[in-house]
Amino acid sequence: GLGLLSSVYFLSFAVCQLPVGVAMDRFGPRRVNAALLLVAAVGGIWFAYAESAAAAIAARAVIGVGVSACLMASLTAFVLWYPPGRLSTMNAIAFSAGALGAMITTVPLELLLRSWHWRQAFMLIVGATVAVSLVLWLWVPDRSARPRNETTREIVQGLVTLLRDAAFRRLALCLGASQFASVALQTLWIATWLRDVAGYGPAEVARGL
């Protein structure tokens, strides 16, 4: 049950990648990401107040949809804002920021949960999500590389051409397989193993993560 609760988030995230990519080509990464983050906030509120496993799983799926543009919006924005020679550096910064955030959050969250209910902590995350969405709407500049006369049909045709590329499919398979393993370990099995096999307490699990 915990595996399903964790994985439905990533499943909905993955299913949204192709339509999100088309939408970002059509409307730009800023607007798509800002709008979807509000969807994530709605899913977070639903999850915080969920009273059944089915409701929690559905809410996690909505959260996955809501954050499905976050990574690709930043990578797309880098292509629009920076010269090709800086793309590798900017992509590395984006991935490093995400990994760093995931690592440093564990201990503060464990400390917070000593005095707050997990539902309250989740509402704090909802507030942060809404704040980021507002920053995107009100502050981040809007740029698009889409030719003015390009239609959604032409965007989809370009996507189909990419999916037919054998080199792309080989790369996607390798990256997908490695991500399946690392995400499953990091989000579900490592903490459970430290708790149930190694006998770690909550604070020790947080430090281990």
Side-chain angles (χ1 to χ4, degrees):
L2 185 60
L4 177 60
L5 181 66
S6 299
S7 61
V8 72
Y9 163 90
F10 296 103
L11 178 61
S12 63
F13 182 103
V15 167
C16 287
Q17 291 309 299
L18 295 184
V20 160
V22 172
M24 286 195 297
D25 283 346
R26 182 69 176 82
F27 302 107
R30 181 187 69 90
R31 285 186 286 178
V32 173
N33 198 15
L36 284 177
L37 282 175
L38 296 178
V39 175
V42 171
I45 295 171
W46 187 7
F47 188 84
Y49 287 95
E51 297 294 343
S52 68
I57 291 170
R60 285 277 291 177
V62 173
I63 295 172
V65 172
V67 300
S68 61
C70 289
L71 174 60
M72 291 314 301
S74 64
L75 302 185
T76 303
F78 295 154
V79 171
L80 299 177
W81 294 346
Y82 294 97
R86 294 192 61 188
L87 290 183
S88 295
T89 300
M90 299 310 300
N91 290 346
I93 290 174
F95 278 103
S96 299
L100 183 63
M103 288 189 293
I104 67 174
T105 302
T106 55
V107 172
L109 182 60
E110 190 275 329
L111 294 173
L112 181 65
L113 291 175
R114 294 181 186 183
S115 56
W116 282 26
H117 194 278
W118 70 265
R119 296 179 189 271
Q120 293 174 301
F122 220 87
M123 289 303 296
L124 182 63
I125 298 173
V126 168
T129 303
V130 173
V132 172
S133 177
L134 290 176
V135 168
L136 291 174
W137 281 119
L138 302 176
W139 185 55
V140 173
D142 196 10
R143 295 185 183 179
S144 175
R146 183 178 68 90
R148 292 185 178 182
N149 60 346
E150 186 179 32
T151 65
T152 301
R153 179 185 179 88
E154 290 171 328
I155 294 174
V156 173
Q157 288 174 341
L159 174 63
V160 171
T161 301
L162 175 64
L163 294 176
R164 288 175 175 170
D165 185 273
F168 169 78
R169 291 199 301 269
R170 288 194 296 270
L171 183 62
L173 178 63
C174 293
L175 291 175
S178 65
Q179 283 295 297
F180 291 158
S182 64
V183 169
L185 286 170
Q186 292 173 10
T187 63
L188 182 61
W189 300 118
I190 289 179
T192 306
W193 189 92
L194 290 174
R195 183 193 67 195
D196 296 345
V197 179
Y200 281 24
E204 295 171 312
V205 169
R207 287 195 296 270
L209 292 175

